[in-house]
Each structure stands twice: as structure tokens, then as C-alpha cells.
Amino acid sequence: MTDQTRSAFVSGFFGSLPFVTVIIPFAMLFGVVATEAGLDLLQTMSMSFFVIAGASQFVAVQLLADQAPTLIILASALAVNMRMAMYSAALVPHLGAAPLWQRAFAAYLLVDQSYGIAIKRYEEDPPLGRPQKMAYFFGTIVLICPLWYLFTWIGAEVGTAIPPEYALDFAVPITFIALIAPQLKSLAHLAAALVSVVTALALAWMPYSTGVLVAAVAAMATGAAVEIWMERRR
């Protein structure tokens, strides 16, 4: 590892530190919710290890608790995780030329935090080389990932002992606000975000939170329409 690559890795590590304050309660909350939904420790830890996507894990567990049909659970979790496909596409120009084993490892470790931190650095520092970009990416996740496993386990083990006034659920909206807000850089982004919020709230009455799926489609369509409109005005 060269000095530049090592420096990029360390820089990614420090870039991830602000998220430690939310990933701990986020993971603990999932452990609590999963056990309350009836999952045992092995099932809870397996979901955190193999899925490693907090939002879709929460959706799946909540729907399991609501005894939703399996098809609805799978469709909802898949829809929530569709953002990973968009994350991957956005990272291709930066990491696409890396060796296959590195890309496979990065694909497993691709979460909201690693993507949000890494893509911001890539956009701010275009001359950064591919090895340094990959090192930076791994640096962003080297702490987040073990904490996710560890505090999922702690939440599952001691969940009922956590006082309700601790309100661990604050971590979920804060995490996504911190990730999404810096990415709202154009009118299309703002329009898509606004439509997703308004539609999700308006359709909160729909069963099994399926209104979120409708809101996602409406937001993507709105963002695309605004982009086309802006292109035609140029």
C-alpha cells in the first residue's frame, strides 16, 4: 500500500466518524425491533450480516410483525434496496476498473453511509486515482460495518432493558437526512424529494406501507420529468 493509498484509507475512516453517533442507536434499534417481531438471535444477526441494509431490514421486520404476505415483504424490501443499484451505477466511473475481488467486496460493503461519504469525496476531488478511491471507500466502512454487527447483537440481547425514554428511533431519520440533504443539488433532486415526502404522507393509509412504493415511483418519475424539462430549456 502506497502512502497515498494509505492516506486515502485513513481519510475515509475519519470521514465516517460523524456517522458513528447514529449507527450505534440505529443498529441497536434494529436488534430490539427484530426480537420484538419474533426473530431469534441467529435470525436477527443473519439478517444484519447478509442483508446489511438498515432501511430494508426495518421494512421487512415491520411487515413480518404485521403478518404481511411474503410477496409484499419481498417486494417492499426489494423496492427499498433498489437504491443500491443506483448507488452502484454512480460508483462505476470511479471504481469500475478495479479488480473483480475488490469490486465484489465493495458491493457487499455498499451501504448508505459508505456511498454518501465516498461519492461526496470523489466529486470534490476528481484527480483522485482509482486505487486511492477504492482505499477511501473501504476506509469509510471499516468502522461502520463492525459497529452495525456489534450493536445489532447488543440490541437483540438487551433490547427489553433499554428504557423507552432513550428513543433510539431518532437515529433513523437523522441518518437519512444527513446522507440525503447534501445530495439535493438541483431542481430535479428537490422536486423528487418533495414529491416522495408528500406522496408517502398522503398514502400512509395504504396497507403494509405500500404507499412508500408508490411514493418512490412518483418521486423517480418527477425527478426524470424535471430533468427533461430543464434540458429542453437550455
Side-chain angles (χ1 to χ4, degrees):
M1 182 181 289
T2 66
D3 289 344
Q4 287 181 324
T5 305
R6 187 179 299 106
S7 176
F9 181 86
V10 172
S11 180
F13 172 82
F14 281 107
S16 72
L17 292 183
F19 287 97
V20 170
T21 55
V22 291
I23 203 68
I24 291 174
F26 199 162
M28 288 184 70
L29 180 62
F30 174 72
V32 173
V33 171
T35 51
E36 288 181 349
L39 272 63
D40 60 27
L41 182 60
L42 178 61
Q43 291 169 329
T44 302
M45 293 307 301
S46 296
M47 184 174 271
S48 269
F49 184 81
F50 291 110
V51 180
I52 191 171
S56 63
Q57 289 180 227
F58 273 101
V59 168
V61 166
Q62 184 60 53
L63 291 175
L64 282 171
D66 293 341
Q67 298 183 329
T70 303
L71 184 60
I72 293 293
I73 297 173
L74 293 175
S76 299
L78 181 62
V80 172
N81 257 4
M82 282 295 290
R83 70 190 188 286
M84 297 299 169
M86 292 184 279
Y87 290 172
S88 298
L91 289 175
V92 166
H94 306 286
L95 306 179
L100 178 60
W101 70 270
Q102 290 185 4
R103 284 182 282 139
F105 202 33
Y108 172 72
L109 296 173
L110 180 59
V111 298
D112 296 301
Q113 289 79 14
S114 58
Y115 169 77
I117 300 166
I119 199 69
K120 184 173 184 293
R121 173 64 186 275
Y122 299 163
E123 291 175 350
E124 292 175 349
D125 190 5
L128 199 66
R130 195 267 302 158
Q132 288 72 43
K133 287 182 177 178
M134 185 60 83
Y136 186 85
F137 179 88
F138 287 135
T140 66
I141 199 65
V142 70
L143 182 61
I144 296 290
C145 199
L147 288 177
W148 177 252
Y149 303 145
L150 174 61
F151 283 92
T152 294
W153 174 73
I154 292 175
E157 286 286 9
V158 303
T160 55
I162 299 173
E165 58 267 27
Y166 280 23
L168 295 178
D169 53 350
F170 83 94
V172 179
I174 286 179
T175 297
F176 283 97
I177 289 172
L179 288 167
I180 294 172
Q183 303 300 323
L184 300 179
K185 298 176 180 176
S186 70
L187 181 60
H189 296 162
L190 291 171
L194 179 62
V195 168
S196 67
V197 172
V198 172
T199 307
L201 291 175
L203 301 180
W205 55 270
M206 292 181 68
Y208 306 127
S209 302
T210 48
V212 175
L213 304 181
V214 179
V217 174
M220 288 188 285
T222 300
V226 172
E227 283 279 9
I228 294 171
W229 176 72
M230 292 176 66
E231 284 292 329
R232 288 176 178 172
R233 282 176 56 89
R234 290 172 184 166

